[in-house]
Amino acid sequence: MTEEIHGPIRPVTKRVRKLMVVVDGSPESKVAIRFAAARAAHITGGELILFHCIRPGEFQHWMAVADRMREEAYEEAEALLAEVSERLHAYCGVTPEIIIAEGEPQEEIKKSIDEQKDIFGLVLGVGSEGGPGPLVDYFTNELASQLPCPLFLIPGNMTYEQVDAMA
């Protein structure tokens, strides 16, 4: 009877469980980062990926300008992620992996999840003003049933204290 309900009994193997969180500097992103870091610190095999996407430059016909803009965007992304990484390590001891991609965020996130076979969940912050945000819209409407991992939606109006109490 137990096997019918729960399936066959199998030994639990230790494995890496990476949470990927999108970092864009928005208030809702900051709350989602805190949630993801706390969860990664509390789950067995928990690791964290900080994901940032740089949108394609709009000045493609000015190659020198586009190259300089791309360089600056990468420098800004690296600085942002380094700062977040330091704060997270001080907060919960997790040292995150960092991914910086260039392209449309929805496509690059999906591609990264597909390439990494050990993603345990995608964590997105939900905007507290003006709708949930384009990434939340995209992943909850078009791709929710196609993701190979759970999608965690973190309300952007939560306080750090509320997140800490949950995680």
Side-chain angles (χ1 to χ4, degrees):
M1 177 85 171
T2 303
E3 189 170 319
E4 291 174 13
I5 296 171
H6 301 290
I9 298 173
R10 64 177 176 85
V12 177
T13 57
K14 291 185 179 184
R15 61 184 182 266
V16 174
R17 292 184 171 119
K18 293 181 181 179
L19 290 170
M20 178 185 284
V21 63
V22 176
V23 179
D24 63 12
S26 67
E28 60 268 19
S29 172
K30 292 175 183 177
V31 175
I33 292 164
R34 182 135 178 149
F35 174 85
R39 289 307 313 142
H42 285 97
I43 59 177
T44 302
E47 294 185 12
L48 183 63
I49 299 172
L50 301 179
F51 180 92
H52 182 82
C53 192
I54 299 169
R55 291 184 180 269
E58 296 179 10
F59 301 101
Q60 296 301 322
H61 59 281
W62 295 96
M63 190 59 101
V65 172
D67 288 345
R68 183 65 193 138
M69 288 176 65
R70 184 177 292 112
E71 261 180 52
E72 289 175 1
Y74 271 94
E75 289 169 4
E76 289 172 12
E78 288 170 346
L80 171 67
L81 295 172
E83 178 186 342
V84 170
S85 182
E86 284 179 36
R87 283 189 287 158
L88 289 180
H89 187 70
Y91 164 63
C92 64
V94 171
T95 301
E97 178 181 336
I98 291 175
I99 296 177
I100 301 174
E102 185 176 349
E104 291 303 322
Q106 298 91 330
E107 295 168 11
E108 295 303 318
I109 291 168
K110 180 73 169 87
K111 187 165 69 172
S112 284
I113 290 172
D114 290 342
E115 289 172 358
Q116 304 235 357
K117 301 301 180 201
D118 52 3
I119 299 290
F120 180 69
L122 173 61
V123 181
L124 298 175
V126 179
S128 54
E129 295 178 13
L135 289 178
V136 173
D137 274 345
Y138 182 77
F139 283 103
T140 57
N141 290 330
E142 296 181 33
L143 283 178
S145 65
Q146 297 175 21
L147 282 173
C149 63
L151 174 62
F152 296 87
L153 299 177
I154 311 305
N157 62 354
M158 289 183 74
T159 65
Y160 286 162
E161 292 78 20
Q162 289 172 315
V163 170
D164 292 346
M166 288 177 45

